[in-house]
Amino acid sequence: MGIILEVQDLAKHYREIRAVDGISFSISRGICFGLLGPNGAGKTTTVEMIEGILTPSSGQIMYQGLPIGPRFRRDAGIMFQNTALQEFIKVREALELFRNFYSRTRPLEELVAKCALGEFLERDTHRLSGGQRQRLLLAIALINDPQILFLDEPTTGLDPQSRRNFWGLINGIKKEQKTVVLTTHYMEEAEALCDLIGIIDNGKIIAEGNLSQLQKTISEN
């Protein structure tokens, strides 16, 4: 499959605080890689450095063998942990607004079907339920037809049924051979979605592998 993303000795320091403390991992094309850990472990800081939002204190991030740059920004889709939507516009209008930001886009009708938005396209965005809002944000992250998709704790705050429905959408995206980078503090979510999991705590990856490898490591300890 080949390596699509490689992180080497990545660190982010805020004076005496080491939010991310020299982590390394690589992600093969077409898999879902999960960063699993408690709140404050360094998951969001890590992905925000990869996405180019935060500047690393040290380390290297490579996309398809090259430092992240314009190609990565064209190829990446991002669903942030917290996203503010424009007020007083409808779901259809929000999709059209974000679609205008990109030269390469997926057809809106395809996104509407994939993210199950059809029933509330004409609803104001501020009147969406938690699950509906997350489906809209996922569609927005997919508008530029990304090769690599970042999902930062996408189901936090959702009820169990909405969470499982969202997992179904992600598994559908995985079938397109997209690469997915997921942060979560739900072990059940990592089990349901991830091909490879890195457990992060105190800014360091303390274990990495697929589910069976991690279960073996835990049982041995």
Side-chain angles (χ1 to χ4, degrees):
M1 291 186 290
I3 301 298
I4 190 171
L5 185 72
E6 187 173 8
V7 173
Q8 300 173 351
D9 297 320
L10 191 64
K12 183 65 176 178
H13 303 160
Y14 298 95
R15 294 185 179 179
E16 71 280 2
I17 298 173
R18 295 176 177 267
V20 176
D21 194 11
I23 66 174
S24 301
F25 57 84
S26 58
I27 303 174
S28 298
R29 187 185 305 273
I31 73 163
C32 180
F33 176 81
L35 279 174
L36 173 67
N39 291 332
K43 304 186 300 297
T44 295
T45 302
T46 297
V47 297
E48 287 186 348
M49 285 191 286
I50 297 170
E51 294 160 352
I53 297 167
L54 293 178
T55 301
S57 299
S58 60
Q60 190 173 41
I61 306 162
M62 307 290 285
Y63 175 70
Q64 296 193 10
L66 298 172
I68 57 172
R71 182 179 181 183
F72 171 79
R73 289 189 284 273
R74 287 194 303 268
D75 285 357
I78 303 173
M79 183 175 170
F80 295 104
Q81 188 175 135
N82 297 297
T83 301
L85 291 168
Q86 181 70 38
E87 295 183 348
F88 308 116
I89 63 173
K90 298 176 180 179
V91 169
R92 183 190 301 277
E93 293 169 332
L95 290 170
E96 291 171 346
L97 172 66
F98 281 91
R99 189 171 184 265
N100 289 330
F101 295 157
Y102 299 99
S103 58
R104 182 186 69 189
T105 59
R106 293 183 74 158
L108 287 188
E109 58 272 18
E110 184 179 305
L111 290 172
V112 168
K114 178 167 289 296
C115 297
L117 302 177
E119 294 182 4
F120 49 91
L121 276 177
E122 303 306 320
R123 186 175 302 174
D124 287 349
T125 57
H126 73 280
R127 294 182 57 241
L128 299 177
S129 70
Q132 291 168 344
R133 188 176 189 277
Q134 293 304 87
R135 281 148 58 187
L136 171 58
L137 293 175
L138 177 61
I140 289 171
L142 293 170
I143 275 181
N144 63 322
D145 195 22
Q147 297 303 303
I148 185 167
L149 176 65
F150 293 86
L151 304 172
D152 192 4
E153 299 196 12
T155 66
T156 297
L158 298 186
D159 62 81
Q161 184 59 51
S162 295
R163 183 174 294 129
R164 284 174 172 78
N165 290 342
F166 196 87
W167 294 350
L169 299 179
I170 301 306
N171 280 320
I173 293 166
K174 288 175 61 181
K175 291 178 181 177
E176 299 180 4
Q177 297 303 304
K178 304 288 189 187
T179 305
V180 179
V181 181
L182 170 79
T183 72
T184 183
H185 54 258
Y186 299 120
M187 173 60 84
E188 185 183 10
E189 184 159 275
E191 291 176 357
L193 298 176
C194 298
D195 304 291
L196 186 65
I197 301 168
I199 298 178
I200 184 170
D201 195 23
N202 293 320
K204 296 182 179 181
I205 291 182
I206 58 175
E208 183 179 346
N210 59 37
L211 181 59
S212 61
Q213 289 170 334
L214 291 177
Q215 288 174 332
K216 182 179 180 182
T217 299
I218 292 169
S219 64
E220 288 175 347
N221 292 332

